[in-house]
Amino acid sequence: QVQLVESGGGLVQAGDSLRLSCAPSGRAFSSYGMGWFRQAPGKEREFVAAISWGGEGTKYGDSVKGRFTISRDNIKNTVYLQMNSLKPEDTAVYYCAANEYSRTWYAPNGEYRYWGQGTQVTVSS
């Protein structure tokens, strides 16, 4: 069983930057494909970004391309989401997700096996 713990959320102003972190428990972190999703009040969950096991592959949702960057440090067992040029519409609860190597690392439809509890990001105008 993998437990995911997100951190780094908070309240920022439009144009600011924020970095989220997700630290899965357990060993073999490098064998998990990782993703970030977000959900704003009254809206459906939205795919934000995904990264492959070794970090060579990355994918982004259209609304964050060019502003957000996903990365991972397999020595620190942590995946990051660097968010720049934040906008009020980025306000949401951000969730970290993971899939084992046997499953796809890129699942924009949300088909990840493990999920974190979420961290709130609020961007004021």
Side-chain angles (χ1 to χ4, degrees):
Q1 187 73 15
V2 175
Q3 292 184 334
L4 306 177
V5 179
E6 304 98 334
S7 61
L11 172 63
V12 297
Q13 294 185 333
D16 285 351
S17 297
L18 204 59
R19 189 177 77 163
L20 304 182
S21 300
C22 175
S25 65
R27 297 177 291 179
F29 169 69
S30 60
S31 66
Y32 289 94
M34 305 296 297
W36 286 98
F37 289 76
R38 66 186 183 186
Q39 188 165 20
K43 295 187 176 181
E44 293 188 352
R45 183 177 60 196
E46 178 187 11
F47 169 73
V48 176
I51 189 166
S52 63
W53 312 277
E56 299 87 359
T58 57
K59 295 287 187 181
Y60 295 93
D62 289 341
S63 62
V64 305
K65 281 181 181 177
R67 299 188 299 123
F68 290 12
T69 302
I70 188 171
S71 63
R72 66 190 297 159
D73 186 330
N74 286 347
I75 294 177
K76 295 183 178 179
N77 284 1
T78 304
V79 62
Y80 303 99
L81 184 67
Q82 178 67 43
M83 305 184 294
N84 297 331
S85 303
L86 282 162
K87 305 174 182 180
E89 50 264 45
D90 293 318
T91 295
V93 177
Y94 283 71
Y95 297 92
C96 176
N99 262 345
E100 299 100 330
Y101 186 81
S102 58
R103 304 162 70 103
T104 181
W105 63 268
Y106 174 49
N109 58 359
E111 290 186 350
Y112 285 87
R113 182 172 181 182
Y114 304 105
W115 292 83
Q117 294 298 309
T119 184
Q120 176 70 46
V121 172
T122 303
V123 184
S124 64
S125 57

